[in-house]
Amino acid sequence: MSAVILLFVGLGMMALGYFVYSKFIAEKIFKLDPDFRTPAHEFEDGVDFVPTNKFVLWGHHFTSVAGAAPIVGPAIAVIWGWAPAFAWVVLGTMFFAGIHDAGAIWASVRNRAKSVGSLTGDVVGKRARSIFMIVIFLVLLMVNAVFAVVIARLMMTFPTAVVPVWGAIFVALIIGQLIYRRIMTLPVVSILGVIALYALIFMGPSMPIQMPAEVMPGVSGNAAWILLLFLYAAIASVLPVWMLLQPRDYINGLQLFIGLLILYGAIVVLNPTMIAPMFNVDVPAGTPSLVPLLFVTIACGAISGFHGLVASGTTSKQLNRETDIRFVGFFGAIGEGGLALAAILVATAGFASLADWQAMYSAFGQGGVTAFVEGGAYIIHNGLGLPQVTAATLLTVMAALFAGTTMDTGLRLQRYIFQEWGEIYNQEWMKKPLPATLLAVGSCLLLAFGAGGADGSGGMIIWPLFGTTNQLLAGLTLLVITVMLVHLRRPMWYTLAPLCFLLVMTVTALIFQLRTFYEQQNWFLLGLDLVVLVAAISVAMECAAALKRHRAQVAAED
């Protein structure tokens, strides 16, 4: 099978989802109103609530949700063959991710920019809110701790990426001033910013920066990068969004979008064959069942609960007009689906032979970012003639920037969670940004170094539960949206069907993982799995009760 055929089929179906399906949802289901006064205008403060150009906001939303997960998940899931991963990414993007992401923004905007966790208490009940807040905290803890490890390892493995990754921060600070103070027009700023970022990428191979294996006694190079990343993220999380978060996400979004076009162009020129089998019937020993594990291994790129946190946590506070939701939410999901599609193609067609591919995928969980970088560099080098080291640097920077922008937003969201807990439990000190930020960073570092030791990779210990916890969070978000639609007397099946599917797959996957953790005698993950499983079952019960209650209320009012 030609990779080019799959590329055009996948992108064509996603485009159909955006131009047809999202238009129907926006106009007939959400009924987006261009005259509705958004929270960005109602509560404008120049720090968190800032009315933002929809293209800049799309850049923030897209790069915040498109972390390393839409690369890692699909590039691991192809171990079952390329067809299942391809089908789930394309259909999930069309019918699951778009309505989930846009719906989360809409629900938040219509409720004073409340987070989806806080909204749960209003539309479902306080018990559901308590469950939701625990799940949200776990997901953010995993994302922040793990993405710090991912970026640190990338910079240790590919020192040529250090200058572009850190240089992008300084470019963003300049871009933020140019846009906010209207010194230059957005198109001019965009062109200059992209040129600067790609200049850094081409400078990277000639200016590699290698962190020593041991910076000081007891502190490895990997741990040093993790500490620096959290220091940066803590500062970024309290700065006004226009100063760093928005411009960094926007300009990175453009750079990453161009990077995807380069990757797509190389695939078209080279026209590689899908080396991996369509359905892999000879999976390595220990590989779990395709169903339901496929649907939690690929979360980001098909549907992801983390997106709901970004949508209702930061995006809704910056929305200029309600009708911008379609472009920001639905097209943001299309962007991530496009990244996941690229990961599938390079992780299955970017190898010289089937034997090379099988060597990469000799056990479940292998592949990931390594397969993306090596497979993509192979395709770009042979398709466009770019030196392999430069191509590898480009893709490494893409992965690191995706993870970095997600980490920026994730830590800010974790700060919001602590502030919301401060409001719920009347703890005035916790409502303030600085203490909440210190709690957010402290909890991540406690996991990173408390569970992982001096290396700081503790987040990887609970990462096996990310997929199920993340999909449970997506189900909770869809529950909130569905209840709101019922209350407004609008069709609910467009969100209820994905909700039911996710709950079934999540609960089944959690049960499968229970057996795995028991056989491995991994009692920590076994206990945590039970907590998430109880939460999932509780969500299903709350879902049924809330929908029944609201439908009865609507029927009584009629």
Side-chain angles (χ1 to χ4, degrees):
M1 170 67 77
S2 167
V4 173
I5 294 176
L6 286 180
L7 173 63
F8 284 113
V9 170
L11 292 180
M13 291 181 69
M14 290 182 195
L16 189 66
Y18 178 71
F19 288 110
V20 179
Y21 187 66
S22 77
K23 187 173 186 292
F24 166 76
I25 296 296
E27 294 178 356
K28 304 300 182 182
I29 307 301
F30 295 149
K31 298 184 179 180
L32 303 181
D33 181 3
D35 297 322
F36 180 79
R37 192 179 184 210
T38 64
H41 290 282
E42 185 177 356
F43 308 113
E44 184 174 0
D45 60 7
V47 178
D48 293 319
F49 291 86
V50 180
T52 304
N53 177 286
K54 71 176 183 180
F55 296 101
V56 176
L57 186 55
W58 175 85
H60 157 70
H61 184 78
F62 168 55
T63 54
S64 293
V65 300
I71 295 173
V72 175
I76 288 175
V78 294
I79 197 167
W80 289 298
W82 58 259
F86 175 83
W88 174 228
V89 162
V90 172
L91 296 177
T93 298
M94 291 177 67
F95 299 113
F96 287 67
I99 196 168
H100 170 275
D101 294 13
I105 302 174
W106 168 75
S108 180
V109 165
R110 285 286 170 164
N111 289 274
R112 300 164 59 88
K114 288 184 178 181
S115 73
V116 71
S118 180
L119 266 176
T120 307
D122 297 336
V123 302
V124 181
K126 291 183 179 179
R127 183 168 52 194
R129 181 186 66 187
S130 299
I131 298 171
F132 212 149
M133 296 295 275
I134 293 171
V135 174
I136 289 171
F137 181 78
L138 282 174
V139 168
L140 289 174
L141 193 64
M142 292 178 191
V143 167
N144 292 330
V146 170
F147 281 10
V149 176
V150 169
I151 301 170
R153 288 181 178 177
L154 283 172
M155 289 190 292
M156 289 295 291
T157 306
F158 301 97
T160 57
V162 174
V163 167
V165 168
W166 288 97
I169 297 170
F170 297 100
V171 172
L173 286 168
I174 297 171
I175 293 296
Q177 295 295 324
L178 294 176
I179 294 176
Y180 185 74
R181 304 191 186 282
R182 299 180 180 178
I183 298 173
M184 293 182 181
T185 62
L186 186 61
V188 174
V189 170
S190 302
I191 293 171
L192 292 177
V194 168
I195 291 173
L197 287 181
Y198 273 95
L200 288 170
I201 290 174
F202 280 94
M203 287 170 55
S206 61
M207 300 176 62
I209 297 178
Q210 181 69 65
M211 184 74 78
E214 188 175 38
V215 179
M216 61 180 69
V219 180
S220 66
N222 192 74
W225 279 130
I226 290 173
L227 290 171
L228 286 172
L229 285 165
F230 274 112
L231 175 62
Y232 155 74
I235 296 170
S237 72
V238 294
L239 290 177
V241 290
W242 64 265
M243 187 176 291
L244 180 58
L245 188 71
Q246 279 184 358
R248 174 167 157 81
D249 289 353
Y250 172 66
I251 205 67
N252 283 348
L254 291 179
Q255 186 263 331
L256 298 169
F257 200 69
I258 293 171
L260 275 178
L261 292 179
I262 292 173
L263 195 52
Y264 289 156
I267 290 173
V268 171
V269 172
L270 184 62
N271 191 18
T273 300
M274 304 296 287
I275 297 297
M278 185 175 183
F279 294 95
N280 190 10
V281 295
D282 188 25
V283 295
T287 301
S289 171
L290 174 100
V291 178
L293 267 298
L294 171 71
F295 303 101
V296 296
T297 301
I298 301 180
C300 301
I303 180 171
S304 165
F306 178 73
H307 295 199
L309 302 184
V310 176
S312 65
T314 59
T315 304
S316 64
K317 294 178 175 63
Q318 303 170 57
L319 194 77
N320 185 39
R321 300 170 74 226
E322 191 176 64
T323 47
D324 292 346
I325 288 175
R326 182 182 171 217
F327 180 78
V328 175
F330 274 99
F331 196 62
I334 296 294
E336 186 175 62
L339 175 60
L341 176 62
I344 291 170
L345 295 178
V346 301
T348 51
F351 295 86
S353 67
L354 177 60
D356 291 337
W357 182 83
Q358 289 172 333
M360 174 66 72
Y361 290 90
S362 59
F364 181 72
Q366 293 186 355
V369 174
T370 303
F372 175 77
V373 172
E374 292 186 3
Y378 173 88
I379 289 174
I380 292 174
H381 172 66
N382 289 283
L384 302 181
L386 201 66
Q388 196 137 350
V389 64
T390 304
T393 300
L394 168 66
L395 295 175
T396 302
V397 171
M398 280 181 64
L401 290 183
F402 271 127
T405 51
T406 300
M407 188 179 170
D408 288 357
T409 304
L411 198 64
R412 184 178 287 259
L413 290 171
Q414 203 164 1
R415 186 247 290 179
Y416 290 160
I417 293 298
F418 279 107
Q419 289 180 295
E420 285 187 4
W421 275 336
E423 292 178 2
I424 293 170
Y425 300 110
N426 292 319
Q427 298 294 318
E428 291 296 327
W429 67 275
M430 199 182 291
K431 297 179 185 179
K432 298 176 182 179
L434 184 57
T437 299
L438 291 176
L439 287 172
V441 173
S443 61
C444 292
L445 291 177
L446 184 62
L447 173 62
F449 290 95
D455 190 48
S457 58
M460 292 299 182
I461 292 175
I462 62 173
W463 185 249
L465 281 173
F466 170 76
T468 46
T469 309
N470 190 43
Q471 298 304 66
L472 172 60
L473 184 57
L476 281 163
T477 303
L478 287 169
L479 166 60
V480 172
I481 300 167
T482 302
V483 172
M484 285 184 61
L485 290 174
V486 170
H487 186 72
L488 293 170
R489 296 174 172 80
R490 296 179 190 173
M492 65 176 181
W493 296 107
Y494 302 96
T495 53
L496 184 61
L499 162 62
C500 294
F501 180 85
L502 281 179
L503 287 180
V504 169
M505 290 300 163
T506 299
V507 170
T508 308
L510 284 166
I511 293 172
F512 271 65
Q513 286 181 319
L514 274 179
R515 178 181 176 182
T516 301
F517 297 146
Y518 178 79
E519 291 174 348
Q520 296 172 348
Q521 295 187 349
N522 191 329
W523 309 122
F524 174 71
L525 285 182
L526 181 69
L528 196 55
D529 192 303
L530 282 171
V531 171
V532 179
L533 180 59
V534 170
I537 295 172
S538 300
V539 166
M541 295 173 65
E542 291 290 334
C543 171
L547 289 175
K548 183 178 180 180
R549 183 172 64 251
H550 280 269
R551 293 189 72 179
Q553 181 182 344
V554 169
E557 291 174 356
D558 291 339

